[in-house]
Amino acid sequence: MAHSSQSGAAQALNGQHPELAFADADTDGDGDGGYERYERSKGEGGSPEPEKIQLLGSMARKQSLSERRNVELPLLKVINEKEPEATTSTTPSPEAFAPGLRRNSISMPSGINALDLEALRLRHQMQPQDALHEEIIADDAASSLGTPATPGTPGITAPTTSANTPDKVVSGTAINFANANDDSDDEFGNARRPVHRDRFRSRRRASIAPLPALRLNSKEMLASDFDSHSLASNQASITSVNSLASLLREKMQAFPQLIRKKKRETKDYKIKIFVIIMFFIIIFLIGYAYVAYHQQVLTKSYFQKIKFNSHDRIFRILSHEDKEVISGQLGTTLGFDTAPFHCLEDHRRNDGSVCIEWNGIARLHLNFEDKGVFRCYTLQWQALTPGLLPTDCYELKRDNGMWFGGGVTKGQEWSLSYANFDFAPYASGDSKIHQFGNGVKRYFINSIGVAMQVSERTPLQLGVNRTENRFCLRAANDEFTFVNHLTPLPQLDYRICTTEDMRSLHMLMTQQSLWDGLKEQEFKVLHSLLEEPVWRIPHAETADSLNESTICDYSESAIAMGLGHIVINEFWQENIGDFTVDKARFPTLKDTIDVLHRRGFKVVLTIQPFISTDSANFKDAVRRKLLIYERHSERSIPALTRYKSSSSAGVLDITNNASVPWLLEKLQRLKEEYGVQSFYLDLGTGYNLPHYYQCRQTLDNPDTYARLFTASLEGAGLMAVSTASVVPKPPTFLSTPPANATWEGLRETLGAVLNYGVIGYPFVLPGVIGGDYLLQRPLSKMVSFYSMAQPPLPDPELFIRWLQLATFMPAMQFSHLPSEYRSDLVTRVAQELKEVRQTVVIALLKKYLSPSMNEGLPLVRPLWMMDPHDPACLIVSDEFSVGEELIVAPILHAGREEREVYLPQGVWKDGIDGSLRKGSRWMHGYRVPKDKIAYFRKMPDNTRF
């Protein structure tokens, strides 16, 4: 069949061109087919015609499937569009066929050569034509198949091999790709419309055969990647097993390429994401570097360890290891619209300080004092415009330790880091009503070794903002606490000291040696207060409840618990301020006091600076002008207030030089006549002064009055004071605020003792065991405005737990006696605790008395004073230490007989069962029976279990 196909093709060729007739098979047996005759013809002289050359080229190839099927097909010659049209080469070359291409075999209908191609072409050109879509390429299919043009397809012209060779229509027609996109006019003079041709496929070819594989840049890909029409027609166009195998081979060869292509796409996607991320990182780093650079440029170093940015006023102090120990923002009320500058020469000081001024707004002085291991920095703000309140705020960072100070606060917070309150004047008051309690000191300390002390002349207001996590100092005058303007405009003056040794820092900031001027008798009184209880005579709300027999009966009952100081409240006089004994109720008080002395008791009378308007001394004081007078009035008009049992009373003016001698004379008469040894000075608080008070000499604040009054009566012998802003001279103790006879009052008592110890009061007198008064509702006014009676007998469990706590305090104070319960449990517990105090506690109190006097350290301390670098010690608020050798963990809630206990590092001996405990760990669910209190004594470091 193949032979017949070849013979048919040869006959057709001989009929058209007899001069080139030759057998399609190899006649001489050399396998070169018709090329041998072609070479001989060429060698005989003259070059063959172009048409013959193309046909010879067709016969020179190996027989295709179409030839073997006896179907005439034209030859496809690819003419390089870049070659000049005047090319006259007639020698077929391998470059004439696209390398790497193969033509799929197809079957054409018979009789296709009978079509009149020229007529079809002319008719097609006469019709108007639209621009071809890039998918409609009919020329290629018609030219490659050798079929005449059909309606709707362009005409087919023979390629020209020379500029002088006319076009001739033959059956073997080649496509002229060079003229495919020719924009010149056609042969009729019509302007050709742009034709967009698909170089790979015509409409007809797209429907019958797949595209060949192309090799571009040494990479092979299927033409079907560019065409979507060949997929559906591949199966219909394959007519032989060879073609099917060839197609499968092409697909198999292209499969790895497709996989690599997908991998490349995935890799490109990841690269894009990586580039985007790197872009944003670079933008962030540039912005951060910009901000950091400007902060570094604006931040200057003062005195080696201060970093201060004068633009945004960020202030930082560094330690010796250049670690930040405190940071904050200065001048928060200034705003940022005014640039600072160095002060003029007239405003600078000669003490080496740095002066920075915000023009017409405020002026800041920074100074440094090197004290060896201590570094102290002084900051002073001066307001230059009315209405400006200098304010500095510091961060309450946990990693930078915890802040303590301020004494007792309204919320009873263990640390300032836990507090949250708005700006309030820093003055002594009633912590139930005011923000701060009866003991204040302008001293704040951080557990990592930073302390802050504010000047007494600063109208200090303190605020803690938990939302912004900072506490702030502000200088602001008001209508009562800081009504006296010591400077024309508010001035904030304080210093900050840092060191690695917190103990030494506390000593530096709190108090110098308390031994100065201490007499031997005063030292004995101090020891007696540590060793012996204080007995407060029970009383009712009125003075009639107190008489001589009450005092004698109480002393007889108390002697079983030990000797001590018997304190008689203000009812020993008829009216507050009489400073004479009420003869009606105490006709033989001198004899009664003598009996008490023989029993071993010491008698203490309560005195106040208040003089009732019902007292005879009030008229005398007014006449002598010894009282505080009303502001903006004549000095002859006294300012009145209310205090306890007196609804109307005047107040002695301690700044009047005549007031102190007048009072000391009366106190001395009492000591000589009745043998009284000391007094309890009940000053109330700063808010007990008249609202519109005015002294002869201007006071810095109301607490200055209490400080001056206490200092004036030191020689008279003061056992304790009710309020203080500086540490009173020993043996004077500071009393805690009056406590309600509830479990809350028990917890408040422990918090007051610890907080007062932190701010520098080593000798604290806790309230009465069981409570000072009993109120089931909150007060709207200060406790000192009322004459509170002794509370009824507390619950036995509350009394036992209160007694257990008081056993380890610096001093003990009774009102109710254990014998009143008539309970074997209460009596037994009282005796056991008495033995513990005499054998364990008092020895430790005396041992640490000298360090407290020298360094200002409290006798009863929070755990963090033992180890400020232990985070657990910072958060424990219901344990304390006596010195450094005894840890106490009391029960402070009703009905509990177990608790969590934390022991600092070391080896500790359990006070309940005598077992040894290792420190630096928690003990969970530690059992504490009702009749026991958990305490642990520190053992030597070389102790073995």
Side-chain angles (χ1 to χ4, degrees), residues 15 31 35 46 152 163 194 215 256 372 398 428 431 510 535 553 585 600 618 621 812 847 853 859:
Y35 277 98
R215 182 173 296 277
R398 289 290 181 87
S428 63
S431 58
T510 55
W535 307 98
D553 295 342
R585 291 182 289 116
F618 180 80
M812 299 179 66
K847 179 180 179 179
M853 299 279 285
L859 296 174

Side-chain angles (χ1 to χ4, degrees), residues 598-881:
R598 287 195 298 268
R599 290 176 179 177
F601 292 100
K602 304 172 183 63
V603 178
V604 179
L605 298 181
T606 300
I607 60 174
Q608 301 93 1
F610 307 98
I611 302 177
S612 173
T613 55
D614 297 330
S615 173
N617 287 331
F618 180 80
K619 294 181 180 180
D620 184 45
V622 171
R623 182 178 59 83
R624 294 171 179 264
K625 298 182 179 180
L626 301 180
L627 302 180
I628 294 175
Y629 59 92
E630 286 279 351
R631 190 180 311 139
H632 310 303
S633 67
E634 296 181 4
R635 293 181 53 193
S636 59
I637 303 177
L640 301 181
T641 186
R642 176 179 179 178
Y643 187 77
K644 292 189 177 181
S645 60
S646 178
S647 59
S648 176
V651 185
L652 283 174
D653 185 359
I654 196 63
T655 63
N656 189 337
N657 295 331
S659 298
V660 175
W662 180 85
L663 179 60
L664 287 177
E665 179 186 357
K666 296 182 179 297
L667 296 180
Q668 184 64 29
R669 187 182 302 121
L670 286 172
K671 295 177 69 175
E672 294 174 355
E673 184 177 353
Y674 294 96
V676 177
Q677 296 174 327
S678 58
F679 300 94
Y680 176 83
L681 181 57
D682 188 3
L683 292 165
T685 65
Y687 286 91
N688 286 115
L689 290 179
H691 187 76
Y692 297 101
Y693 71 93
Q694 181 66 52
C695 297
R696 181 182 293 269
Q697 299 178 15
T698 302
L699 299 178
D700 296 345
N701 53 70
D703 292 325
T704 306
Y705 178 86
R707 184 176 74 249
L708 296 176
F709 205 102
T710 302
S712 300
L713 299 184
E714 286 179 352
L718 297 179
M719 184 201 76
V721 293
S722 64
T723 186
S725 58
V726 296
V727 178
K729 181 182 178 181
T732 305
F733 277 57
L734 171 64
S735 296
T736 60
N740 199 4
T742 60
W743 288 94
E744 182 181 1
L746 173 62
R747 294 188 290 270
E748 291 176 356
T749 299
L750 174 60
V753 173
L754 295 180
N755 278 292
Y756 288 159
V758 168
I759 61 176
Y761 294 97
F763 308 119
V764 180
L765 177 64
V768 171
I769 296 174
D772 297 279
Y773 61 91
L774 178 61
L775 285 177
Q776 301 296 342
R777 57 180 178 82
L779 290 174
S780 59
K781 296 182 179 180
M782 294 185 295
V783 175
S784 57
F785 279 176
Y786 306 93
S787 179
M788 295 293 183
Q790 179 194 30
L793 197 63
D795 177 74
E797 181 187 4
L798 175 61
F799 185 84
I800 289 175
R801 295 302 189 188
W802 210 311
L803 180 59
Q804 291 172 348
L805 172 66
T807 301
F808 297 89
M809 293 286 104
M812 299 179 66
Q813 185 173 192
F814 287 91
S815 180
H816 286 292
L817 300 175
S819 59
E820 297 180 32
Y821 286 90
R822 303 182 184 278
S823 169
D824 294 337
L825 175 62
V826 175
T827 302
R828 178 172 56 86
V829 170
Q831 291 297 329
E832 291 177 354
L833 293 175
K834 177 182 178 182
E835 183 179 357
V836 170
R837 181 169 181 88
Q838 290 178 349
T839 59
V840 178
V841 179
I842 293 178
L844 290 175
L845 293 176
K846 290 183 176 180
K847 179 180 179 179
Y848 288 95
L849 178 61
S850 294
S852 296
M853 299 279 285
N854 291 327
E855 303 174 7
L857 292 173
L859 296 174
V860 175
R861 310 169 184 176
L863 291 189
W864 61 264
M865 278 195 171
M866 299 183 64
D867 188 359
H869 302 289
D870 189 342
C873 292
L874 294 174
I875 63 175
V876 176
S877 60
D878 57 354
E879 296 181 35
F880 61 91
S881 69

Side-chain angles (χ1 to χ4, degrees), residues 402-430:
M402 296 180 65
W403 284 95
F404 297 89
V408 178
T409 59
K410 188 175 183 179
Q412 301 293 325
E413 290 87 4
W414 162 238
S415 166
L416 284 178
S417 300
Y418 297 131
N420 188 21
F421 54 86
D422 200 1
F423 284 100
Y426 190 69
S428 63
D430 189 339

Side-chain angles (χ1 to χ4, degrees), residues 134-135 137 140 196-202 226-227:
E134 61 180 356
E135 296 181 356
I137 308 299
D140 300 343
H196 309 286
R197 299 179 181 272
D198 190 343
R199 297 299 184 188
F200 298 99
R201 180 175 302 282
S202 65
F226 302 92
D227 182 77

Side-chain angles (χ1 to χ4, degrees), residues 351-363:
D351 55 358
S353 61
V354 176
C355 182
I356 303 174
E357 182 175 333
W358 286 259
N359 189 18
I361 300 177
R363 186 180 299 119

Side-chain angles (χ1 to χ4, degrees), residues 877-888:
S877 60
D878 57 354
E879 296 181 35
F880 61 91
S881 69
V882 180
E884 296 182 351
E885 300 180 22
L886 185 67
I887 299 294
V888 184

